[in-house]
Amino acid sequence: MVGSREGENVRVLLVVAHPDAGSFTHACATTATTALRDAGHHVDVLDLYALGVRAAMSADERAAYEGDSPLVDPLIAGHAALVQQADALVFAYPTWWSSFPAILKGWLDRVMTPGVSFVFDERRIVRPGLRHVRHIVGLTSYGSPRAYVRLVNDNGRRILTRMLRLNTAWKAKVTWLGLHAIDTSTDERRAAHLRRIERTMRALR
């Protein structure tokens, strides 16, 4: 459960990364959004493909990265502002080649800049910049069975639950809802997974 202040609803930023609006990833995102809103929470949804987000960091962005104004692109600056307002970050994406789709990795590179996801203290030591974030949720699917995913490493999950988690509140919790072997899954398994997402999101506090 999110550690928001008692009596307050959770402000959620849900990031979706799949090019097909009819995909199971979008079904997961829609289920999560509906459940969260039904529970009274505020949800901002960023559909990265629909928004035309560029995956590659530009030369201007790289040059500005360590300066006072690293957010060069107005679209990305708006996304960073939503990150800075969120109590919970939810990521819906398919696991491809043991990691994120390129658009999500690029979004993280461009949004989670100094001053957003981390800050430097007076000794130039990195400190967390997302102390307001109390929960990270992953909604993903895997083409491979669970044992194979464990063998080759689940790099998207590692980035979100380890690297990004280090920049959040020290009590921030992680919820991971993944469907393995989706390529051979049945309608019943996929429906059960959506029900699991709905139950979990409705319980978010």
Side-chain angles (χ1 to χ4, degrees):
M1 293 185 180
V2 169
S4 56
R5 291 185 293 274
E6 186 176 355
E8 291 190 1
N9 293 331
V10 179
R11 181 153 191 154
V12 181
L13 177 61
L14 195 156
V15 182
V16 190
H18 197 295
D20 182 0
S23 65
F24 187 68
T25 294
H26 276 271
C28 292
T30 298
T31 298
T33 301
T34 300
L36 287 163
R37 287 176 175 164
D38 286 350
H41 304 310
H42 178 92
V43 185
D44 293 300
V45 179
L46 296 178
D47 183 339
L48 301 187
Y49 282 97
L51 291 169
V53 171
R54 187 180 71 249
M57 178 183 287
S58 69
D60 288 343
E61 285 174 315
R62 181 62 189 92
Y65 188 84
E66 296 181 11
D68 294 331
S69 302
L71 298 168
V72 174
D73 185 329
L75 177 67
I76 294 301
H79 294 184
L82 292 175
V83 169
Q84 291 174 312
Q85 296 168 13
D87 301 306
L89 299 175
V90 180
F91 298 91
Y93 69 95
T95 296
W96 292 340
W97 287 95
S98 302
S99 192
F100 304 125
I103 197 169
L104 180 53
K105 178 57 168 65
W107 185 86
L108 289 167
D109 288 341
R110 298 175 66 208
V111 171
M112 300 299 178
T113 59
V116 179
S117 65
F118 61 94
V119 296
F120 295 104
D121 66 14
E122 63 279 358
R123 295 176 295 168
R124 297 292 293 172
I125 295 175
V126 174
R127 301 298 185 193
L130 300 175
R131 295 180 186 273
H132 53 284
V133 173
R134 304 298 180 188
H135 207 98
I136 294 173
V137 179
L139 309 176
T140 193
S141 58
Y142 306 88
S144 301
R146 187 186 304 272
Y148 183 84
V149 171
R150 288 179 174 174
L151 178 66
V152 299
N153 289 327
D154 188 350
N155 293 306
R157 181 174 184 172
R158 288 163 68 94
I159 289 171
L160 294 178
T161 64
R162 298 186 186 186
M163 297 305 299
L164 184 60
R165 167 68 182 74
L166 287 174
N167 294 311
T168 63
W170 72 274
K171 286 187 177 181
K173 297 181 180 180
V174 173
T175 300
W176 203 260
L177 300 170
L179 180 65
H180 294 82
I182 189 172
D183 297 337
T184 56
S185 67
T186 62
D187 290 343
E188 289 76 15
R189 278 192 66 218
R190 292 191 293 273
H193 188 71
L194 292 178
R195 289 195 296 271
R196 182 185 174 207
I197 291 174
E198 181 180 12
R199 289 194 303 270
T200 304
M201 294 298 95
R202 282 184 179 274
L204 206 68
R205 295 290 182 271

